[in-house]
Amino acid sequence: GMLQRKPEGDAARYDHMSQRWIKRYSPTAYALGVNITHEMLQDGTALDLAQRSLIELGRSAAELKNTVAHDVLNLAFDSGYTGGDSKELCATDHTTDDGSTSNELAVAASLSEASVRQMFIEMASMTDLRGNKIKVMPRKLLVPRALMFDAEVLLKSEYKPGVAENDVNSIRSTNLFPEGHMVSDWLTSSTAYFVITDNSDQGLTYFDREPLSVHRDKDTDTLNAKFLVYTRFDTGWTNYNHVFGSAGA
């Protein structure tokens, strides 16, 4: 907590540290392989097929990793997918010692200058688990493809977008998002959007236990050549303050 007033001659008050929860990451193994027949090997078509297969397996692995990683955000408003405080990633009532804190827009709203400004205002009220205010600043705006052009207009227009007045676009003039915006094809909602903050300590996490590797073998019974890719990883979050989101409207 905050420092306490210490009257002259009196003993100082001592606070205590305590463990909240333990986030365990349990890497899951993923693999996929292809067979190239002995006859293909003998007929001289195996090399091209092997190269093509490895390219396709690489694409498959990239699709898997993006899908699994984005599930963290796709389930950000799902009360059935909770973190250490028994709340979903984005919630208006994360429990603290002093009440609660929020990393979700109080009133869901579609992406606009007004909603982003309101997000920034509400971020000023974010606290740590003891109830102390923390200085959280936006770094990047993350949107689905459906909001790509709205985000482009919102961040890059010199003047306030969508109105006839010559008011300055405060989001651009204040450089509110120093890392700009990112468009992801793996966000399943066409309305939800997220602000990635600078509070990244133990935030969104990708844990690569075994990086993607390629294995080759030959089957004794069939004489087929076998190619397989394998990886083991996990994703999630520990600190929810790394994200501020809205489900949109």
Side-chain angles (χ1 to χ4, degrees):
M2 287 192 297
L3 272 66
Q4 303 294 313
R5 181 174 177 271
K6 177 190 163 311
E8 182 178 353
D10 288 358
R13 176 181 177 272
Y14 282 81
D15 207 337
H16 64 279
M17 298 181 69
S18 61
Q19 180 174 297
R20 298 293 175 155
W21 58 75
I22 296 176
K23 168 63 178 178
R24 297 194 186 279
Y25 288 89
S26 302
T28 301
Y30 300 91
L32 187 66
V34 294
N35 281 321
I36 297 178
T37 68
H38 174 72
E39 288 73 20
M40 290 178 181
L41 293 169
Q42 294 300 106
D43 292 345
T45 60
L47 182 59
D48 288 342
L49 289 172
Q51 290 177 337
R52 188 181 307 171
S53 297
L54 289 174
I55 291 173
E56 294 299 329
L57 286 171
R59 289 174 179 168
S60 175
E63 177 71 14
L64 166 76
K65 292 195 173 191
N66 276 295
T67 299
V68 174
H70 279 78
D71 277 347
V72 176
L73 296 174
N74 291 328
L75 297 170
F77 308 99
D78 187 341
S79 60
Y81 186 64
T82 59
D85 63 346
S86 299
K87 295 292 181 180
E88 57 271 28
L89 172 58
C90 291
T92 58
D93 55 350
H94 287 289
T95 304
T96 71
D97 289 352
D98 196 40
S100 64
T101 187
S102 172
N103 68 333
E104 179 183 357
L105 200 59
V107 179
S110 56
L111 179 65
S112 66
E113 185 191 20
S115 65
V116 170
R117 287 167 60 178
Q118 185 60 33
M119 273 185 163
F120 181 70
I121 293 171
E122 293 183 17
M123 286 170 65
S125 300
M126 295 174 76
T127 69
D128 61 18
L129 293 176
R130 289 301 299 270
N132 296 317
K133 285 189 176 182
I134 53 178
K135 187 176 178 62
V136 178
M137 298 298 291
R139 297 299 303 173
K140 180 186 298 182
L141 179 64
L142 179 61
V143 300
R145 182 180 289 232
L147 297 178
M148 178 177 71
F149 297 108
D150 299 276
E152 184 79 8
V153 171
L154 188 62
L155 270 62
K156 296 187 178 180
S157 295
E158 183 176 355
Y159 298 105
K160 193 171 182 178
V163 297
E165 293 82 3
N166 286 331
D167 294 343
V168 67
N169 180 358
S170 57
I171 294 175
R172 175 182 172 179
S173 64
T174 59
N175 194 27
L176 190 61
F177 296 102
E179 297 180 12
H181 71 282
M182 176 180 174
V183 179
S184 175
D185 289 335
W186 287 274
L187 292 174
T188 54
S189 170
S190 61
T191 59
Y193 53 97
F194 304 89
V195 173
I196 307 301
T197 77
D198 60 355
N199 198 327
S200 59
D201 181 36
Q202 297 183 342
L204 296 176
T205 300
Y206 172 87
F207 181 71
D208 212 356
R209 183 63 182 87
E210 293 185 63
L212 189 69
S213 57
V214 180
H215 303 269
R216 178 180 177 180
D217 197 4
K218 190 171 185 178
D219 185 65
T220 303
D221 294 332
T222 65
L223 301 180
N224 293 344
K226 301 166 70 175
F227 295 89
L228 181 140
V229 294
Y230 174 91
T231 187
R232 194 154 63 103
F233 64 92
D234 194 16
T235 63
W237 82 92
T238 303
N239 177 10
Y240 49 77
N241 288 328
H242 192 194
V243 176
F244 199 104
S246 174

